[in-house]
Amino acid sequence: MEPVYLTFVFVLAIFLGFELISKVPSTLHTPLMSGSNAISGIPMIGAIASLQVEDPFFSALLGTLAVAFAAVNVVGGYMVTDRMLKMFKKKEAKTEGGGK
């Protein structure tokens, strides 16, 4: 019964995440992404919780996948945030020649 319960929670999380993201206006996606990097700790908790599964190979696989996806999410979020912040920096004027 436990795999059925875990699958139900997983599917419910997918639908909830889709509904939450679809309600956000497109102008707010990038700023919210930078703020949501802290949420990537949730897969880490899921990786720890997966250690309670009876099959050690399955729990190690799930834990590794959770940590990998969380790392990709954090790195990608910071890359997008850095790119967004670079858009707001003043462009320095390039001078060529003898300063005339």
Side-chain angles (χ1 to χ4, degrees), residues 8-58:
F8 173 74
V9 170
F10 179 69
V11 171
L12 187 64
I14 289 173
F15 284 123
L16 180 64
F18 179 77
E19 285 297 317
L20 287 174
I21 295 299
S22 66
K23 304 292 186 215
V24 175
S26 60
T27 55
L28 293 178
H29 273 278
T30 303
L32 286 176
M33 183 178 220
S34 66
S36 69
N37 282 329
I39 296 175
S40 290
I42 293 173
M44 302 297 181
I45 294 171
I48 293 170
S50 72
L51 294 174
Q52 296 176 355
V53 178
E54 292 177 14
D55 184 14
F57 175 76
F58 185 66

